[in-house]
Amino acid sequence: MTKDQKNEVIEVLKGKFSQYDNFYITDTESLTVEQVSKLRRACFNKNVEMKVAKNTLIKKALESLDAEKYAGVYDSLHKVTALMFSENPKEPAVILSSFRSEAKAERPELKLAFINGDLYAGDNQLKALTQIKTKNELIGEVIGLLLSPIQRVIGALQNKPEGDVAPVAAEAAPAAEAAPEAPAAPEAPAADEKPAAE
């Protein structure tokens, strides 16, 4: 690989690290070409970008962006490295977990996950990462918690039993019956009757 080609790879990686807040570093050393192709397809179907690059180039790309921010990442750059970039922090973990279950293997191995600035080092973190909540899931839960009391109040008002209204009507009825009757209007004399003489 020429110097220009290396610089080109570094620039591509810098663009990806700048674009995504989440990336996974995996070890794909023992995978066959067919398995790597299958993993790439799984990533593509879930909107996860997968890049294979030399560890030295990955390190240079990270150092040129922010050496301090990515300091904890460098120790995981050894053996064959495949990077997985995703907007959804748990999607790469789900892909890796499913891939390993289907293949009944321990590869690809998770070396490190960088999630919104937090580091999850080691393959033992994979299960926890599959259960991580996305931003949208957290927002949905908060909205659900806020709406729950309101929905209970509305539900209680809408489902108020009819019997609760009847006593009010029953109390009004006796009051109407107790009201004195209006005096009857005097009857008009019949046409053939003469008014009484005064």
Side-chain angles (χ1 to χ4, degrees):
M1 188 179 276
T2 66
K3 187 175 182 181
D4 287 343
Q5 289 172 324
K6 287 179 181 177
N7 288 337
E8 192 178 322
V9 170
I10 289 169
E11 288 305 312
V12 169
L13 290 173
K14 281 170 64 176
K16 295 301 172 195
F17 288 124
S18 299
Q19 180 183 351
Y20 293 98
D21 292 328
N22 312 304
F23 63 87
Y24 284 54
I25 299 173
T26 65
D27 178 3
T28 55
E29 188 172 24
S30 61
L31 297 184
T32 65
V33 174
E34 186 183 336
Q35 287 175 316
V36 171
S37 297
K38 188 177 178 184
L39 182 60
R40 281 186 190 277
R41 276 194 304 276
C43 289
F44 179 80
N45 292 337
K46 296 288 186 177
N47 296 319
V48 174
E49 288 195 52
M50 183 175 154
K51 299 276 182 206
V52 177
K54 290 188 174 182
N55 293 314
T56 52
L57 300 180
I58 296 169
K59 187 175 181 183
K60 283 181 182 177
L62 291 170
E63 285 176 337
S64 64
L65 286 172
D66 190 336
E68 270 187 56
K69 180 180 178 181
Y70 298 111
V73 175
Y74 308 139
D75 289 342
S76 63
L77 298 174
H78 52 81
K79 297 184 181 178
V80 178
T81 298
L83 298 166
M84 299 171 82
F85 299 94
S86 176
E87 293 290 343
N88 182 329
K90 76 176 181 181
E91 202 63 67
V94 172
I95 291 169
L96 291 172
S97 188
S98 298
F99 186 88
R100 285 162 57 155
S101 293
E102 285 177 26
K104 295 179 183 166
E106 294 300 311
R107 292 280 191 269
E109 181 183 337
L110 175 67
K111 293 195 272 188
L112 181 126
F114 184 92
I115 310 292
N116 296 315
D118 295 324
L119 300 176
Y120 298 85
D123 197 58
N124 60 337
Q125 298 290 323
L126 187 61
K127 187 175 180 183
L129 288 166
T130 61
Q131 297 167 355
I132 221 169
K133 297 221 183 271
T134 65
K135 185 179 178 182
N136 288 342
E137 287 172 339
L138 290 172
I139 290 170
E141 283 185 9
V142 169
I143 290 171
L145 289 171
L146 292 173
L147 288 178
S148 183
I150 295 168
Q151 288 171 334
R152 272 190 248 135
V153 170
I154 291 170
L157 292 173
Q158 288 176 338
N159 295 326
K160 193 171 186 181
E162 295 281 336
D164 290 353
V165 179
V168 176
E171 287 170 14
E177 288 171 11
E181 288 184 17
E187 289 183 19
D192 57 347
E193 283 182 21
K194 292 181 181 174
E198 289 184 11

